[in-house]
Amino acid sequence: MAVKICPKCGESNTEQAWTCVHCGSSLQNAEVTGTPDADKRAGISLGREEGACPACGELLEPGARKCKYCGTTVYKKPAVPAYEEPEEDPAYFKPNAVTIILLILATVVFPPAGLIVGGVAVFLGDPDKRITGQLLMILGLVVIAVKYFL
C-alpha cells in the first residue's frame, strides 16, 4: 500500500489523494512511499528480490519480520530443513562375518530357513549378498540330503 507523506505536517495519505486529510495542503509534489497499487497489479518487482507481505502485497525489507505498511507479522520458512536425509539407505544391509556364521548355523539346524533366506539373497543386486545366498542354498540342500537320504 503506497502512501503520500504530506510535506507540511508529515501525515500519511492514500496514493490517490490530492490534498492532505489532516491539514489540507496540496500533495501534488509529495513523494509516494511504498509500492504503488498499479505496480502490484502489474507484478513489477522494481529489481528487488525481497518477499511480499501476505496481507497488503507490499515488498518487504530484507530480514523484516513485520510489514512496515500494514503491521502484519511475516513468518519465513526456515533456511535449513528440520529433517535431513540419511547418507546411506537404511534398508541396505551388508552382511558381516558374524551374520554369515549365524545364518550358516541356522541353516544347519533348520535347512528351510537357509533355502528361503538364500533364495531371497540370490536375487538382490549386491554381489556379497548374492554369494552368501548361493552358499546358504547349497548348504541347505546338502543338509536336507544328508538328513533325509542317508
Side-chain angles (χ1 to χ4, degrees):
M1 161 167 92
V3 294
K4 287 184 180 179
I5 306 295
C6 177
K8 188 174 181 183
C9 69
E11 184 71 27
S12 24
N13 298 277
T14 62
E15 69 178 290
Q16 294 87 12
W18 290 97
T19 58
C20 178
V21 293
H22 188 265
C23 68
S25 298
S26 174
L27 296 176
Q28 285 184 331
N29 297 331
E31 185 179 324
V32 177
T33 305
T35 307
D37 291 337
D39 289 352
K40 283 192 262 182
R41 285 190 292 275
I44 298 172
S45 67
L46 302 175
R48 293 185 275 182
E49 295 295 322
E50 299 92 33
C53 174
C56 68
E58 282 295 326
L59 293 176
L60 299 170
E61 298 293 327
R65 298 205 181 262
K66 193 173 191 182
C67 178
K68 67 180 182 180
Y69 299 102
C70 69
T72 302
T73 303
V74 179
Y75 298 100
K76 301 202 182 228
K77 294 179 183 175
V80 178
Y83 174 76
E84 294 183 16
E85 292 290 326
E87 291 181 14
E88 291 185 17
D89 184 12
Y92 182 74
F93 173 73
K94 189 161 181 90
N96 57 19
V98 174
T99 307
I100 294 172
I101 291 172
L102 289 175
L103 286 171
I104 290 172
L105 290 175
T107 303
V108 170
V109 173
F110 187 66
L115 291 174
I116 293 169
V117 172
V120 170
V122 166
F123 292 106
L124 297 176
D126 186 26
D128 291 337
K129 291 181 181 179
R130 188 172 295 142
I131 292 170
T132 305
Q134 291 172 351
L135 172 74
L136 291 174
M137 289 183 67
I138 291 170
L139 182 63
L141 291 172
V142 168
V143 170
I144 289 174
V146 169
K147 281 186 177 179
Y148 296 110
F149 297 116
L150 293 181

